[in-house]
């Protein structure tokens, strides 16, 4: 496989630097005493605990159900254009590259740098250089409508990856969506906080209006918290182009304004390292949760140091594999498989050592499952 990388190293360096800021999060001081709960609190806790139990079950393996025409795919060109190259997007890129190599396809990686002009530039370059398929990760389709229509006119299938909930309309110019249930995942994160606190959760949610799926996650959490009479939620609108400074400054202000905050839940794991130093500096006992399930977050949960929960998807590399399978079938003119990316809660109760065997046991050998399916006779 031939790989071309068109992203800058700045975002990756920033993510690596941020990981050094991890701190330990202590249990909240205002968790309810079960003996002193009201009937409504007990009912709230019971419902939340039931939701968390269901949401913590191991994810079933999702893999291709049929072979691919490898001769037709040999030498084809896939472009991967990400909203920005944080750790999650980088891990997805690794999966795309590995899957592309297995199928004999060329992969070009383009960093959108959280800038609309870059998103459009990436699609335009892909069209100009004869891409056979494009994977867009986390880019609001409304920001690239004209470019998507140009790609469609050029006969290039574009996959809309992780920009909305399952069942959302497919944007004009794209052939299909590949995503998860972000609204449901936000609600699940809120249920975790309510169960953990005895339905006395005061939650600070980190989102960004520029990233639709982060908004869906945060709004899903805030809506679920409305069912808890003794809970509250506040959503911070983080500047996605300046995460390092925006997270720290806004979390600091929020903790000063509301010392009752006992949970801080980000819509993406890579925000956690930027929040942790501020939480420690404020002397806050807030527990920390997020979404995505990147390896660094899983290890912090396993160590009990820096993060307490994540709503994880399968191993991030798997997202790259399933994205390549999906777009490869579009290139071949096959019917869309209709994949849904699953998720589950990972916390101290089920993280184990943080190994893949403990966190996602059904996904330990997912590359072999894909290769077997792709080459089946």
């Amino acid at each position: 496989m031939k790989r071309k990388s068109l992203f800058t190293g700045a975002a990756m360096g920033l993510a690596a630097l941020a990981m050094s800021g991890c701190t330990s999060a202590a249990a909240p001081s205002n968790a309810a005493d079960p003996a002193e709960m009201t009937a409504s609190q007990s009912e709230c806790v019971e419902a939340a605990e039931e939701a968390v139990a269901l949401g913590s079950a191991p994810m079933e393996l999702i893999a291709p159900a049929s072979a691919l025409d490898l001769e037709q795919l040999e030498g084809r060109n896939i472009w991967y254009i990400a909203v920005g190259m944080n750790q999650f997007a980088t891990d997805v890129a690794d999966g795309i590259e590995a899957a592309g190599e297995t199928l004999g396809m060329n992969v070009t990686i383009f960093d959108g740098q959280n800038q609309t002009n870059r998103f459009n530039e990436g699609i335009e370059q892909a069209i100009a250089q004869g891409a056979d398929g494009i994977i867009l990760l986390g880019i609001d389709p409304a920001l690239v409508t004209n470019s998507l229509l140009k790609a469609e006119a050029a006969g290039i299938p574009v996959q809309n990856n992780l920009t909305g909930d399952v069942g959302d309309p497919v944007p004009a110019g794209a052939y299909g969506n590949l995503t998860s249930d972000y609204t449901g995942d936000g609600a699940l994160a809120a249920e975790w906080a309510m169960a953990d606190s005895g339905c006395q959760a005061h939650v600070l949610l980190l989102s960004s209006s520029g990233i639709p799926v982060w908004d869906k996650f945060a709004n899903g959490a805030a809506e679920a918290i409305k069912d808890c009479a003794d809970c509250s939620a506040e959503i911070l609108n983080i500047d996605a182009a300046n995460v390092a400074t925006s997270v720290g400054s806004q979390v600091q202000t929020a903790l000063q304004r509301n010392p009752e905050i006992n949970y801080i839940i980000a819509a993406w794991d890579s925000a956690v390292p930027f929040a942790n130093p501020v939480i420690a500096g404020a002397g806050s006992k807030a527990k920390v949760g997020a979404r995505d399930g990147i390896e660094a977050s899983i290890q912090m949960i396993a160590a009990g140091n820096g993060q307490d929960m994540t709503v994880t998807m399968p191993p991030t590399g798997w997202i790259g594999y399933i994205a390549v399978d999906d777009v490869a079938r579009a290139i071949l003119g096959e019917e869309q498989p209709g994949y849904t990316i699953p998720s589950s809660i990972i916390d101290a109760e089920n993280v184990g050592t943080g190994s893949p065997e403990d966190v996602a046991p059904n996904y330990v050998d997912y590359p072999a499952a894909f290769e077997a399916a792709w080459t089946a006779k």
Side-chain angles (χ1 to χ4, degrees):
M1 179 201 68
K2 180 182 177 184
R3 177 215 174 180
K4 293 189 291 181
S5 179
L6 301 182
F7 66 85
T8 64
M12 294 188 61
L14 199 59
L17 177 63
M19 294 311 304
S20 65
C22 300
T23 61
S24 177
S29 60
N30 60 345
D33 182 345
E36 298 178 358
M37 285 186 187
T38 65
S40 62
Q41 279 182 316
S42 296
E43 184 178 341
C44 172
V45 171
E46 183 178 354
E49 288 178 343
E50 181 178 351
V52 170
L54 289 172
S56 300
M59 296 170 288
E60 294 297 325
L61 175 64
I62 296 176
S66 61
L68 287 170
D69 188 336
L70 302 187
E71 290 186 4
Q72 290 294 319
L73 293 175
E74 180 74 30
R76 297 291 192 104
N77 299 298
I78 295 175
W79 276 60
Y80 167 61
I81 305 171
V83 63
M85 293 304 293
N86 62 15
Q87 191 59 57
F88 176 79
T90 301
D91 291 345
V92 172
D94 291 342
I96 289 174
E97 289 184 316
E101 183 173 6
T102 299
L103 295 175
M105 303 178 77
N106 303 318
V107 174
T108 298
I109 299 173
F110 188 94
D111 179 7
Q113 299 177 7
N114 295 293
Q115 298 174 20
T116 299
N117 65 318
R118 286 281 295 175
F119 306 156
N120 286 283
E121 180 185 341
I123 298 172
E124 299 279 353
Q125 285 191 28
I127 295 169
Q129 296 187 31
D132 294 293
I134 299 172
I135 298 169
L136 298 184
L137 182 80
I139 295 173
D140 183 352
L143 301 177
V144 291
T145 299
N146 289 337
S147 296
L148 288 177
L149 293 175
K150 289 179 182 179
E152 183 180 43
I156 303 171
V158 180
Q159 178 188 107
N160 179 38
N161 193 314
L162 296 177
T163 65
D165 285 338
V166 175
D168 282 356
V170 176
Y175 73 84
N177 298 328
L178 179 59
T179 193
S180 216
D181 181 6
Y182 278 85
T183 298
D185 289 348
L188 188 57
E191 297 285 3
W192 175 83
M194 289 187 284
D196 188 68
S197 66
C199 281
Q200 290 190 343
H202 300 285
V203 184
L204 184 66
L205 297 160
L206 310 187
S207 180
S208 174
S209 59
I211 312 293
V213 292
W214 293 358
D215 253 359
K216 288 178 179 288
F217 177 89
N219 288 326
E223 189 64 28
I225 288 171
K226 289 180 181 179
D227 294 333
C228 174
D230 298 307
C231 301
S232 64
E234 176 186 356
I235 299 176
L236 296 183
N237 185 16
I238 302 301
D239 180 0
N242 297 285
V243 169
T245 55
S246 186
V247 167
S249 62
Q250 291 204 56
V251 170
Q252 183 179 45
T253 299
L255 289 173
Q256 291 171 347
R257 183 175 62 248
N258 183 7
E260 287 192 342
I261 292 169
N262 53 8
Y263 293 87
I264 297 175
I265 299 178
W268 72 112
D269 280 326
S270 296
V272 171
F274 299 116
N276 275 335
V278 174
I279 297 169
S284 171
K285 295 181 180 180
K287 284 192 173 183
V288 178
R291 188 197 185 279
D292 289 342
I294 65 173
E295 177 63 21
S297 289
I298 296 294
Q299 292 307 314
M300 284 193 284
I301 294 168
N305 182 20
Q307 189 165 337
D308 299 280
M309 179 276 295
T310 187
V311 180
T312 186
M313 293 182 284
T316 315
W318 171 89
I319 297 175
Y321 267 76
I322 205 73
V324 168
D325 178 88
D326 195 83
V327 77
R329 294 180 191 279
I331 291 170
L332 294 172
E334 295 185 11
E335 184 178 352
Q336 194 178 347
Y339 297 123
T340 295
I341 299 173
S343 58
S344 68
I345 285 178
I346 297 295
D347 62 9
E349 296 297 319
N350 63 353
V351 70
T353 64
S355 68
E357 290 81 2
D358 289 336
V359 172
N362 297 319
Y363 285 80
V364 170
D365 203 17
Y366 70 84
F370 276 77
E371 187 169 356
W374 287 338
T375 59
K377 299 297 184 182

